[in-house]
Amino acid sequence: MALGNEQSSDGSHTKRIVDIDPSLRQMRFGASEAGKRHPQVGNQLDPLIMWAEAREDEAVDPFGAISSYQELFGKSSEIRHITMATATVDEVVLAEGECWWGGAVADGQRMPFGPAVHRRNLATSAGFLTNDQDGANQSAPLLVSNRGRYIWSEDAFTFEFVDSTLRVTGGNPVVGTGRPPTLAGAFRMASRAHFPPSGATPAAAMFASPQYNTWIEMPYVPTQQGVLDYVRGLLDSGFPPGVVIIDDNWSPAYGTWRFDLSRFPYPTSMIQTLHSWGCHVMLWIVPFVSPDTHQFRILHKRDLLVRDADSSTAIRHWWNGYSAVLDISNPVAGARLCEDLDRLVSEHGVDGFKFDAGDLRDFRSGDRNAAMAEPTEQCEAWARIAARYRFNELRACWKMGGQPLAQRLHDKPPLWGASGLASLIPESIAQGLIGHPFVCPDMVGGGDVNYCSADRPVDQELFVRYAQCAALFPMMQFSMAPARVLDAKHLHAVQAAVRLRQQLATEILDLVHEAAASGEPILRPLAYHFSGYEHVHDQFLLGERILVAPVLSQGASTRSVELPPGSWIGVDGRSLTGPNQVELPVDLESIPWFRRDEQGLRDTL
C-alpha cells in the first residue's frame, strides 16, 4: 500500500493518497482541520470514509464526495466515533427504510432489524434470546444492510438496535459499503474483504439427492441391522440413494470414536453394503468426552481437556448429560481427534462426519485452555476441523464464512408456525447472509426427538409441507422414514417433492459451484435482488432465476405469492409479470415455484 500526503490549494486540509488493495476497497485516510472546511461534519465524520470506494491507484478526497453519500443515505445518517486509522465504529444512525441482517441465525425471524428494539451479545450467545439453551446455530460478527452498508469485526461484539440507531460495543468493528448500495452490494464487499470464498464445496453427493439421518428412527440406539433396514426401506419405497448419517451413540462412549462392536459387529461390511447401494456414510461426533472412561483418563493426563477457571477439569452440562470437553484450541488435541476420525475413514470406509455441538454455551470466557481461547474461538476451531472432511455437517459455527462447510439448522419441533415450519426460510436466509451458502434445513418433519413418541401421531400434512419446503433448499434431509409414518396419499406427495428436487439437481449443483467461487448465498431473500421486498419471509430465491413460495399454512387451499419485477414462468407454463401479488390455488402436492424469464433477467440486471 503506497501512502503520500497532498495539501489542498488553500491549505485547509490534507488528504492522504492511498493505493488501496482492490479486494478491500475501504477508505482509510488522515485529515487536518477538517471541521474548518466542513463544520457540519466536525468530529463526527460521515460513513463516506468507508463508502467512497477508491479505484486502484486513485487519490480520493473523502470530503469531496460527502454530498454524494448524503444524497444516498440522507444528511441525518452518520457514523459517530470513527477512528480514522482503523475505521472503527460504535454507532450508526439508520437511514430511512434501512434494514439489517446478520449476527446470529437464531434471530432469523426477527430480521431484518431496524426500528424495533433488538440486542445480541455475539461473544456469549448464539441461541434464542428467550432461552440460550435452545435454537443455537451459526453466528458471525457481521451485519449487512439493504442500503449497501456492512459492519464487520474479527472479534465478537454486542449490537443493539434502539431509537433507529445501531449501537455496537466491543470487538474492533469496521464499517464498509458495497457498490451498488444494496443488500447484495454490501454482502459482496464484506465477503471479498473479510471472508473470501475458498473455491471449494462440501461433497457434491450432499446436494445431489436427499440425505438420510438415523436420529428419529433410532434415537440413541442405532444398530448395524437397524441402519441397513432403514436405508433399504427408503430405497425400496422409491427414494434415491443418498448420504446416510448414523447419529448419536454408535460408539461405546463420547470421545471414544470407534464403533461399539456390540451393536455394530461388522462396521466395514455394513459400510461396504451401503456403498454398493449408492450411499455415502457419515458418523455423528461431538467435542465431549465421557468421564471415567479410558479415553478421559488419557486426555486428562495429557492436559487436552478444557479446565475451569480454578484449573480443575471442566465438566459441562449438555443435552445428553455431563461430560468433559476436548480443548479444541490445543493443536495436539485436534490432531488426536483427527487421528481417530482418519482411522475410521481408512479402516472402515467412513466418508465423513456430522460435527454436532461445539456451541458457544459449551465454553466459558474464563476457561483455562492451551490458547486461552474465547468461546467463539473454540467454536471456530471445531469448524476448522470439520473443514478437513468433504463430507461434513455443522449445526453450530462461529465465522468461517466462505468455507466448504455444510450448515444445518437446529432441531425443530414438528409444528406449524414460527416454532417449526415457518422458521426454515428466514433462518436459512440468515445463514447465507453471514457467509454460509451450503445450507440445510432441519430433518423433514422436525428433528426434535422430544416430540416423537408413540402417543403423538405424525401430522402428515405438516410432514408433506416440510418436505416441499426443503426440496428446493441447497440440501434436503430426512430422518423419519416417510413410508412408515405416512399413508399412500401423503407419501405420494412427498415422493413428488423429491422427484422435483432430482429434476433440478443439476441446477442446484451448478449453484453450489457458483457459490464456492463467489461466496454468495444460494438461498436468497427477495431483497437480495429486489428493493422493497425486505419483509417477505415466506419466499426465497434459489440463485437469481428460481423463485420459491412453498405452502406453509395448515389446510391451505390458496397461496399468496409476491412476484418481484420481471417475467416469471410458473409450473403450468404461464408467464406472470411482476411486480404483482398473485393468489394461486393449491392442493396437497402443490409447490409454487417460478423460473425467471431469461429476457426479463437481462432487462433488469
Side-chain angles (χ1 to χ4, degrees), residues 117-137:
V117 174
H118 179 77
R119 187 178 188 276
R120 164 72 66 175
N121 181 353
L122 293 171
T124 60
S125 172
F128 292 145
L129 293 175
T130 54
N131 178 12
D132 187 54
Q133 297 302 305
D134 194 10
N137 264 142

Side-chain angles (χ1 to χ4, degrees), residues 306-327:
V306 171
R307 289 175 289 150
D308 283 321
D310 63 2
S311 293
S312 62
T313 299
I315 301 296
R316 298 280 154 84
H317 180 258
W318 60 298
W319 65 84
N320 279 343
Y322 293 84
S323 296
V325 188
L326 189 68
D327 181 6

Side-chain angles (χ1 to χ4, degrees), residues 25 87 161 168 176 254 284 290 375 400 420 444 456 474 525 537 542 569:
R25 295 187 180 279
F161 287 86
V168 182
Y254 301 122
W284 175 96
S290 299
M400 294 295 285
V444 170
R456 189 184 184 103
H537 298 102
L542 192 62
I569 301 172

Side-chain angles (χ1 to χ4, degrees), residues 23-24 26 28 86-89 122-123 139-143 150-158 168-176 189-196 360 373-381 384 397-401 403 434:
S23 69
L24 298 180
Q26 291 186 344
R28 300 189 179 194
T86 60
T88 58
V89 55
L122 293 171
S139 56
L142 172 69
L143 297 168
Y150 75 82
I151 290 175
W152 167 266
S153 174
E154 290 299 329
D155 301 313
F157 56 79
T158 297
V168 182
T169 56
N172 188 33
V174 297
V175 60
M189 179 64 73
S191 172
R192 288 196 297 268
H194 306 292
F195 47 95
L360 302 187
E374 292 296 315
T376 51
E377 294 168 309
Q378 293 277 26
C379 184
E380 184 179 1
R384 291 191 182 280
C397 185
W398 171 252
K399 293 174 36 175
M400 294 295 285
Q403 298 304 305
I434 61 170

Side-chain angles (χ1 to χ4, degrees), residues 23-103:
S23 69
L24 298 180
R25 295 187 180 279
Q26 291 186 344
M27 289 304 303
R28 300 189 179 194
F29 72 100
S32 62
E33 299 181 11
K36 293 181 181 178
R37 183 171 174 182
H38 296 278
Q40 76 276 19
V41 178
N43 293 325
Q44 296 178 1
L45 297 174
D46 193 280
L48 171 72
I49 295 167
M50 305 301 293
W51 174 79
E53 192 175 22
R55 293 186 176 88
E56 299 172 61
D57 305 315
E58 179 175 317
V60 175
D61 178 358
F63 301 105
I66 283 179
S67 60
S68 298
Y69 185 89
Q70 289 180 334
E71 286 175 7
L72 178 63
F73 291 110
K75 292 186 178 181
S76 65
S77 175
E78 61 186 6
I79 295 180
R80 303 189 184 96
H81 303 294
I82 293 178
T83 302
M84 291 182 293
T86 60
T88 58
V89 55
D90 62 22
E91 189 167 293
V92 177
V93 176
L94 305 188
E96 184 176 356
E98 187 169 19
C99 301
W100 293 76
W101 290 257

Side-chain angles (χ1 to χ4, degrees), residues 281-300:
V281 180
M282 296 171 61
L283 300 177
W284 175 96
I285 66 166
V286 289
F288 297 114
V289 181
S290 299
D292 297 327
T293 61
H294 179 66
Q295 182 76 331
F296 171 87
R297 287 188 286 274
I298 291 174
L299 295 172
H300 179 268

